[in-house]
Amino acid sequence: MSINIKNVSKVYPNSVTALKSINLSINTGEFVFITGASGSGKSTLLKLIMKEEEATSGKIRVFGSDLVGMKKKKIPFYRRTMGIVFQDFRIIESMTVFQNIELVMRVVGASSRAIRKRVPYVLSLFSMEDKADRYPRELSGGEKQRVGIARALVNNPNLIIADEPTGNIDPSMSYEIMDLLAQINKRGTTVLVVTHDMSVARKFDFRTIEINKGKIIKDTSPPKSDIKISNISSSSFLSSIRN
Ligand code: ADP
């Protein structure tokens, strides 16, 4: 299980309840869309998983790490296990495409040799190898987001989290950006995408969770391990639900 959320609620200091007793399990290797109206609690859910916000109550486990009570000095290391794709790209304007990606490898202490090998490789995955020396202002929105996704991927994260990745790009490019995330998922990375862009999401046959007023109101395919199997001990049953 890559993410396990149990009875999680979030009440902000201004007394707004953003999430109400959420239960959610996501298996390793899943691709999950999270949808819902503005203000429903989607970003709060991501922030809890990224440990940018603390849950008011409940338990959160992400790839074996308990987020409740995690020591402050551990948080930066925890965040490095995930790649984050932002709606507004967050690429540094004064750095080239190559340097933007290089920077996140430097942060984790990668060698210059590893950087020289890995950066062109991830750029080539997104057909951006010939844009390595360009500055962000010379790129289209779709290209900037390809850089954002390459940067999220470069340190081989367990989990990619994307908050409205198509929110600032030309609608004609939205499918392509979502498809890149789907391709990454095919290689085994768990991917979590918040989007209100259901016209694009519907083109992919992925699990979709809908949040409304802080509660999960729809989940198209909860993991099979959530099935109550307490009365059935037959191993053939166990293997059949895993197939
Ligand atoms: P969504 O991502 O679905 O638009 P959010 O998770 O951002 O929803 O917000 C859920 C609710 O929590 C909203 O009512 C919002 O106003 C409130 N909220 C979000 N962030 C904060 C914050 N830092 N402080 C107080 N209230 C917040």
Side-chain angles (χ1 to χ4, degrees):
M1 196 69 72
S2 69
I3 300 177
N4 208 327
I5 293 177
K6 273 214 167 94
N7 292 324
V8 164
S9 297
K10 173 66 184 174
V11 184
Y12 282 108
N14 61 356
S15 305
V16 170
T17 301
L19 294 174
K20 296 173 195 161
S21 273
I22 294 275
N23 285 293
L24 175 61
S25 294
I26 295 173
N27 280 323
T28 302
E30 272 197 276
F31 188 119
V32 179
F33 283 121
I34 299 172
T35 72
S38 174
S40 56
K42 306 180 297 295
S43 302
T44 300
L45 180 62
L46 292 191
K47 284 178 186 161
L48 293 179
I49 293 170
M50 296 187 279
K51 191 100 177 135
E52 279 186 17
E53 288 286 352
E54 298 285 329
T56 309
S57 56
K59 283 191 170 162
I60 307 179
R61 260 179 101 76
V62 181
F63 284 100
S65 295
D66 260 318
L67 299 202
V68 177
M70 180 182 274
K71 295 228 164 61
K72 257 203 172 125
K73 63 177 182 198
K74 268 195 152 184
I75 296 172
F77 297 97
Y78 165 71
R79 292 220 184 99
R80 283 175 205 166
T81 65
M82 53 187 76
I84 309 202
V85 178
F86 302 94
Q87 176 174 4
D88 57 1
F89 321 123
R90 299 210 195 162
I91 47 182
I92 298 169
E93 293 291 329
S94 58
M95 287 184 170
T96 64
V97 166
F98 189 100
Q99 289 164 341
N100 265 281
I101 299 174
E102 173 180 12
L103 183 66
V104 296
M105 288 190 75
R106 291 264 178 228
V107 167
V108 299
S111 68
S112 298
R113 190 161 169 238
I115 289 167
R116 278 198 304 274
K117 238 180 117 179
R118 177 88 178 146
V119 176
Y121 171 69
V122 294
L123 286 175
S124 74
L125 293 177
F126 304 113
S127 312
M128 290 288 286
E129 60 270 45
D130 57 333
K131 306 269 161 74
D133 297 324
R134 300 277 184 93
Y135 285 88
R137 63 176 178 276
E138 302 171 289
L139 303 177
S140 70
E143 286 170 337
K144 281 187 201 172
Q145 196 56 297
R146 278 194 264 166
V147 175
I149 295 172
R151 181 186 53 191
L153 185 70
V154 76
N155 289 333
N156 260 325
N158 291 328
L159 171 67
I160 293 219
I161 290 182
D163 193 357
E164 298 282 4
T166 62
N168 273 323
I169 59 176
D170 193 291
S172 65
M173 295 293 293
S174 297
Y175 178 84
E176 191 198 301
I177 290 296
M178 219 58 106
D179 194 47
L180 288 177
L181 292 166
Q183 307 270 341
I184 294 171
N185 171 253
K186 257 195 201 149
R187 294 161 181 252
T189 310
T190 308
V191 177
L192 213 57
V193 179
V194 161
T195 185
H196 66 267
D197 199 349
M198 281 314 291
S199 60
V200 177
R202 263 194 288 274
K203 293 183 178 144
F204 297 85
D205 187 22
F206 291 130
R207 180 179 175 192
T208 304
I209 290 167
E210 187 175 343
I211 302 186
N212 186 30
K213 296 183 181 150
K215 289 194 157 190
I216 294 176
I217 56 161
K218 195 170 132 193
D219 187 344
T220 56
S221 47
K224 295 195 168 77
S225 54
D226 275 354
I227 295 172
K228 290 262 180 293
I229 53 168
S230 49
N231 296 326
I232 305 165
S233 58
S234 148
S235 61
S236 65
F237 175 76
L238 285 176
S239 64
S240 71
I241 63 168
R242 284 181 189 138
N243 289 334

